Amino acid sequence: MPGRGLILGIETSCDETAAAIVERGARTVSSVVASQIATHARYGGVVPELASREHLRAIVPVVRAALQQAGVTLADLDAIAVTSGPGLAGALLVGITYAKALAFANQLPVIAVNHLEGHIHAVLLNERESPAQALTGGAPGLDSETWDSTTPGIDPALALVVSGGHTHLYLAQPSHGTWRYTLIGRTVDDAAGEAYDKVAKLLGLGYPGGPWIDALARFGNPHAVPFTFAQIKTKAHLGGKPARTKAAKTAPIARLDPHLLFSFSGIKTAVLRYVELHGMRAEARARVSRVLANFRPPQTREAALALCSQPTLDLIASFQHAVVGDLMKKTFAAAESLGAYRILITGGVAANHELRERFNEEAARRGLHIAFPTLALSTDNAAMIAAAAWPRFLAREFAPANLSADASLTLA
Ligand code: KG4
Ligand code: ZN
């Protein structure tokens, strides 16, 4: 059985090299994230080969920093948890290989964690760290001493994982000491974060696009451009055609309620058409070098107007308003059809201000409980990986010695 219950988490699935120490899945002792944004920004997206190289460079100092900040050594650990997929194969392999080597040298078990499960556990970790905010269905407050995944009163939750690689709805249920997930809805093409990144790129904004659009949308009219989302017909996707995008490959579409399917590739094309039709191309091109030089999204109206014309700000606000509206429509429809009264929103896009505000308002109106991770835990990090590993540690679910990367790993 565990000593202090310390798990070292390692996350290298995309463009963040992260390590964290979490105690008993309930208390973050340290969390270190080395971002590769500066490396990929000039290409307007993640370059897989560069990502692997940067992970190789960062993994040793990042793990060392996590141990140092926690004031522990490898001898104090009970296990090492590592993201095994989904993600970039080469990037995942750096984390997996290093986790296995460390574990072998220190006679520790390795726990493989699905990145999507990690995002869901980012919210659960927050709730355990701030029990007052958690809805425990009448159970006593949870703390790091008493919590384990079988604690009665932890209710099933509808989880929306919305990030650069995923837009998936799951029903998450505690079950026999661990968690079970059922896929409820998903994107049939691009993820919401991917749409943010692509729209930002075509408007000459920085990478990743989410924080830029989030910051600029505050200064535009969200009703200026009426973007709409068509109802998705599943037939085309059931016709035996292979999935077209990386997001669509990570889970099946068949048998899902078409009302709970997302599609974000159309709005990207609609924004592109709008830009061309309204002669906004030159303005976008001129912005690229200024954005690269500034690096930080504008925070005031004055700074926003110095970078973008008012019609561009209106377009940005309208894009975001439409995306958030679509995410809300399908998430609340899923909650209603499942009878779920607890909703978890997680992943990089969950850091979005308008998204948080509008989801909170709608949940309050419907009398539903809604929870988000802190901003730091919304985007990729390793604390969520170490937290997700805790129930698996208790269940002695350890990875085999031949654990490898699974770029298209599914959760359900
Ligand atoms: O979870 P994450 O760090 O990595 C993946 O697993 O994909 O999510 C990254 C995504 C990017 O697409 C980024 O543009 C988006 O999250 N993002 C945001 C915000 N911050 C990050 N999207 C909207 N608003 C934000 N504030
Ligand atoms: Zn992620």
Side-chain angles (χ1 to χ4, degrees):
M1 273 316 280
R4 271 178 70 188
L6 292 179
I7 294 187
L8 164 66
I10 295 178
E11 153 66 40
T12 63
S13 69
C14 192
D15 59 346
E16 252 104 33
T17 316
I21 311 282
V22 175
E23 188 178 357
R24 299 174 63 80
R27 188 173 78 88
T28 307
V29 190
S30 69
S31 181
V32 178
V33 180
S35 168
Q36 302 178 4
I37 284 178
T39 304
H40 301 289
R42 80 191 79 145
Y43 303 101
V46 178
V47 183
E49 291 77 11
L50 293 183
S52 309
R53 194 189 72 190
E54 291 299 310
H55 285 308
L56 276 173
R57 245 210 280 262
I59 187 82
V60 174
V62 164
V63 169
R64 194 177 296 148
L67 291 166
Q68 257 166 20
Q69 286 178 23
V72 301
T73 66
L74 288 164
D76 299 314
L77 300 178
D78 290 278
I80 299 179
V82 64
T83 307
S84 60
L88 301 169
L92 287 163
L93 271 176
V94 176
I96 293 171
T97 310
Y98 189 57
K100 287 207 287 192
L102 271 187
F104 182 76
N106 294 277
Q107 294 178 314
L108 291 167
V110 172
I111 300 166
V113 175
N114 184 310
H115 183 79
L116 299 169
E117 181 173 27
H119 274 303
I120 293 172
H121 279 261
V123 195
L124 301 173
L125 172 61
N126 272 159
E127 290 194 334
R128 283 169 218 136
E129 290 188 319
S130 319
Q133 288 167 25
L135 182 79
T136 59
L142 305 176
D143 61 42
S144 59
E145 292 305 311
T146 55
W147 184 83
D148 77 48
S149 54
T150 57
T151 302
I154 299 182
D155 301 308
L158 174 69
L160 170 67
V161 183
V162 63
S163 69
H166 303 93
T167 303
H168 285 53
L169 279 166
Y170 295 101
L171 179 66
Q173 292 165 289
S175 163
H176 303 296
T178 176
W179 288 79
R180 263 191 316 118
Y181 305 93
T182 313
L183 183 70
I184 303 297
R186 49 157 303 166
T187 178
V188 298
D189 42 49
D190 290 355
E194 209 172 342
Y196 266 92
D197 295 339
K198 287 176 177 171
V199 164
K201 190 175 178 181
L202 78 89
L203 290 175
L205 301 171
Y207 174 83
W212 286 83
I213 290 179
D214 190 351
L216 291 166
R218 283 190 289 148
F219 307 113
N221 172 7
H223 305 290
V225 187
F227 290 117
T228 51
F229 286 86
Q231 171 58 49
I232 294 160
K233 298 187 182 68
T234 40
K235 276 200 187 112
H237 302 284
L238 292 172
K241 288 188 195 162
R244 279 186 299 124
T245 65
K246 81 177 179 295
K249 282 178 194 151
T250 55
I253 291 163
R255 289 190 301 275
L256 293 176
D257 178 346
H259 294 98
L260 305 180
L261 295 175
F262 300 94
S263 167
F264 292 106
S265 69
I267 192 162
K268 169 199 68 192
T269 315
V271 173
L272 177 63
R273 239 183 255 129
Y274 189 91
V275 165
E276 277 167 359
L277 225 79
H278 292 80
M280 296 158 110
R281 204 68 170 147
E283 183 195 323
R285 259 194 233 111
R287 215 164 7 242
V288 176
S289 56
R290 292 167 63 204
V291 161
L292 275 176
N294 276 331
F295 221 67
R296 244 178 67 79
Q299 299 301 320
T300 62
R301 181 177 291 278
E302 206 184 5
L305 279 167
L307 190 67
C308 302
S309 64
Q310 190 60 51
T312 298
L313 293 176
D314 292 345
L315 175 62
I316 289 170
S318 302
F319 161 79
Q320 175 162 291
H321 188 81
V323 170
V324 172
D326 190 62
L327 289 169
M328 283 175 61
K329 183 175 149 197
K330 286 158 189 172
T331 303
F332 285 107
E336 196 169 314
S337 79
L338 293 168
Y341 61 91
R342 176 166 142 79
I343 300 176
L344 315 177
I345 316 279
T346 187
V349 183
N352 188 269
H353 289 85
E354 180 180 340
L355 181 148
R356 285 181 180 232
E357 206 176 295
R358 290 176 60 196
F359 266 92
N360 272 326
E361 278 168 15
E362 184 61 19
R365 205 180 64 73
R366 292 174 180 246
L368 302 176
H369 176 82
I370 194 158
F372 298 88
T374 57
L375 290 186
L377 281 184
S378 294
T379 47
D380 288 350
N381 65 87
M384 67 186 197
I385 302 303
W390 179 246
R392 301 202 185 285
F393 177 79
L394 291 177
R396 322 292 295 163
E397 273 179 42
F398 301 137
N402 63 355
L403 173 70
S404 192
D406 185 348
S408 327
L409 186 65
T410 57
L411 185 57

